[in-house]
Amino acid sequence: MSALVPLAIPSPSTGVWHLGPFPLRAYAFAILLGIVAALWMTRRRWVERGGEADTTLEIAFWAVPFGIVGGRIYHVITSPDAYFGVGGEPIRALYIWEGGLGIWGAVAFGAVGAWIGCRRQGVRLAPWADALAPGLLVAQALGRLGNWFNQELFGSPTTLPWGLRIDPAFMPVGDPAGTLYHPTFLYEMVWNLAGAALLIWLDRKLQLGYGRVFWLYVVIYTSGRLWIEMLRIDPAHEILGLRVNVWTSIIVGLGALVAFVVVGRRHPGRDTTLLLAPPTVQDDEEIATDSTR
């Protein structure tokens, strides 16, 4: 084993730099980098589908804040002990820069924000979500760099040559010095980037539409998160011996697979329009009639 240790992945010596009194946190930079990459990819894909370039930024104005808030809420709900347990500090639930964004909350709340943005821009949510899907995987991959810098959410001990070195201050109590751990941040990065490439290829080859690229994104992500989550050793609530996020991956992944199949049977091919249906003359007359009552 000693011959393999030099090949181990080192952890960054710090995740925070200071510009005078202002802290610059690697976790925040990783999240921001992921958002920028996702917006750039979505903008290109939306234009390829026939949409206007500026629409993506207008929708993101709603989707991104909703997603960040939702991700934090999910994290706090599923990991409450650090904030509301014995010795916990409730105020730290607001410290997003310290890490802790749950993807399920981010996607759920982000979808609400995207729906609002789409309605305001007069476009349909499903085709925009299809344009977004590969970029989401890339954003999640880049965001995992924040976990690497924070030396958190790593996996169980391993003797593999790509094991991750963790500073003693972040190691689980009782593990001997020199223990290496599964680099789950790297596993998820590779899985997500490969998944993004697969999504783009399948989208072009099969001409997917009506939200099917997005549902396929969910299937790909949950499949990877399922086995990666089972490697992690950070504290987490369990149900019937499995971590909550494992159950979430199973349930959400199966639901997305069903949605992908059902939508494909009803709407094969690409969307025929990206825009919401404009009000009909009858609708306008009804609105005018209501306003005079």
Side-chain angles (χ1 to χ4, degrees):
M1 175 179 174
S2 60
L4 298 178
V5 170
L7 299 176
I9 300 172
S11 289
S13 58
T14 182
V16 183
W17 303 272
H18 288 85
L19 185 62
F22 302 104
L24 305 177
R25 301 180 184 275
Y27 185 87
F29 278 112
I31 297 297
L32 289 174
L33 181 62
I35 291 173
V36 170
L39 290 178
W40 178 78
M41 291 181 64
T42 303
R43 183 177 182 273
R44 287 178 58 91
R45 286 174 51 79
W46 181 246
V47 170
E48 289 173 358
R49 276 172 144 74
E52 296 183 3
D54 292 342
T55 299
T56 293
L57 291 179
E58 295 292 340
I59 297 173
F61 177 80
W62 291 91
V64 172
F66 271 70
I68 292 175
V69 171
R72 188 59 175 181
I73 290 175
Y74 181 89
H75 167 75
V76 173
I77 290 176
T78 56
S79 303
D81 294 343
Y83 311 102
F84 306 106
V86 178
E89 300 179 51
I91 188 63
R92 300 184 79 86
L94 303 176
Y95 295 175
I96 294 179
W97 55 86
E98 293 185 349
L101 292 175
I103 184 60
W104 312 117
V107 171
F109 275 64
V112 173
W115 177 80
I116 295 173
C118 285
R119 296 286 296 182
R120 292 175 64 88
Q121 293 300 308
V123 301
R124 296 172 56 240
L125 177 61
W128 191 82
D130 283 340
L132 169 68
L136 268 181
L137 281 172
V138 172
Q140 290 168 235
L142 294 174
R144 285 301 177 191
L145 288 172
N147 301 137
W148 180 44
F149 275 91
N150 284 356
Q151 300 194 47
E152 61 183 1
L153 307 185
F154 44 85
S156 56
T158 181
T159 57
L160 293 171
W162 56 81
L164 178 65
R165 288 197 184 101
I166 297 294
D167 291 343
F170 301 98
M171 291 175 59
V173 176
D175 285 358
T179 300
L180 303 181
Y181 301 89
H182 280 288
T184 49
F185 83 92
L186 182 60
Y187 296 165
E188 190 164 329
M189 286 187 68
V190 173
W191 182 274
N192 288 350
L193 291 175
L198 178 62
L199 272 184
I200 293 173
W201 181 75
L202 289 174
D203 185 26
R204 291 176 177 173
K205 183 176 179 63
L206 303 178
Q207 293 293 293
L208 300 174
Y210 295 95
R212 285 190 293 162
V213 185
F214 181 83
W215 291 123
L216 192 55
Y217 144 74
V218 177
V219 172
I220 290 173
Y221 178 71
T222 54
S223 299
R225 184 62 182 270
L226 178 63
W227 65 269
I228 294 171
E229 186 73 25
M230 296 181 73
L231 289 175
R232 284 169 44 172
I233 57 175
D234 53 292
H237 288 276
E238 296 185 353
I239 300 176
L240 299 178
L242 293 178
R243 296 162 67 98
V244 170
N245 281 330
V246 171
W247 284 111
T248 305
S249 296
I250 294 172
I251 295 170
V252 174
L254 289 176
L257 181 60
V258 171
F260 176 81
V261 173
V262 171
V263 173
R265 289 179 177 177
R266 293 181 177 177
H267 303 288
R270 282 276 173 87
D271 305 76
T272 55
T273 179
L274 305 179
L275 303 178
L276 291 170
T280 63
V281 174
Q282 182 180 356
D283 292 335
D284 291 338
E285 292 176 349
E286 290 177 354
I287 292 173
T289 300
D290 291 339
S291 63
T292 58
R293 289 178 182 175

